[in-house]
Amino acid sequence: EALAPGQSFLDVGCANGHLLESMARWAGIEPYGLEISPELAELARRRLPRWGERIWVGNALDWLPGRRFDVVRADLVYVPVPRRRELLEHLLSYADRVVLGVFNEERAHLGREEQVGGWGFAIAGRSERSHPDTRLAYRAFWVDA
């Protein structure tokens, strides 16, 4: 819901590249990945050799890609609480849109979304899906640069 076919898509914390592979198939995006673990990045490169040069090793808090991306997907849990706003601001310096999630959250609360809104960012869109535990929902939301 947050992206269109042909857009560049960077998955921050891409691990073995499964989401890159899936998003390319489901949404027709141009996949890129960033992983802090060299071993996981290498696994992703071995799994997805056609995109190997698009999978980088780095810390999302200070990594600079040298290009802009249409959409970056990340989650705030990657960094300590005091640096979460800094992560979002940094990602928005090279992304037109940052999607946060998908994560599990109690239906009665909009914890991460309220936190980001409290920092002064406008929520540009959101998505919610059912969770097997009816008290929870799978959620994602996004912020535009």
Side-chain angles (χ1 to χ4, degrees):
E1 294 171 29
L3 48 87
Q7 288 186 309
S8 58
F9 174 80
L10 173 67
D11 182 18
V12 173
C14 70
N16 70 3
H18 179 71
L19 182 61
L20 297 177
E21 183 178 35
S22 298
M23 290 299 291
R25 187 173 61 248
W26 298 333
I29 52 86
E30 292 181 41
Y32 297 82
L34 176 65
E35 176 54 50
I36 198 167
S37 164
E39 295 82 9
L40 283 175
E42 184 55 34
L43 175 60
R45 288 184 197 112
R46 282 195 316 269
R47 283 189 67 250
L48 305 166
R50 68 187 177 276
W51 299 321
E53 74 285 349
R54 295 179 175 196
I55 299 168
W56 300 288
V57 175
N59 184 324
L61 275 168
D62 58 19
W63 180 75
L64 294 172
R67 63 159 291 160
R68 288 195 65 76
F69 293 96
D70 296 311
V71 179
V72 172
R73 191 226 51 98
D75 200 341
L76 298 175
V77 299
Y78 297 148
V79 296
V81 173
R83 299 194 71 189
R84 289 180 178 178
R85 180 179 181 161
E86 178 185 346
L87 173 66
L88 181 54
E89 289 171 343
H90 181 65
L91 296 175
L92 286 167
S93 75
Y94 58 81
D96 295 332
R97 170 171 287 167
V98 173
V99 176
L100 298 170
V102 170
F103 48 86
N104 300 334
E105 195 165 57
E106 290 183 25
R107 286 188 181 278
H109 304 287
L110 294 175
R112 287 184 176 108
E113 191 173 326
E114 287 172 349
Q115 181 181 38
V116 169
W119 297 333
F121 294 98
I123 306 304
R126 63 187 50 84
S127 178
E128 182 174 307
R129 299 285 188 265
S130 296
H131 188 282
D133 182 335
T134 58
R135 297 168 297 170
L136 302 176
Y138 293 116
R139 288 187 173 148
F141 64 94
W142 46 96
V143 174
D144 290 344

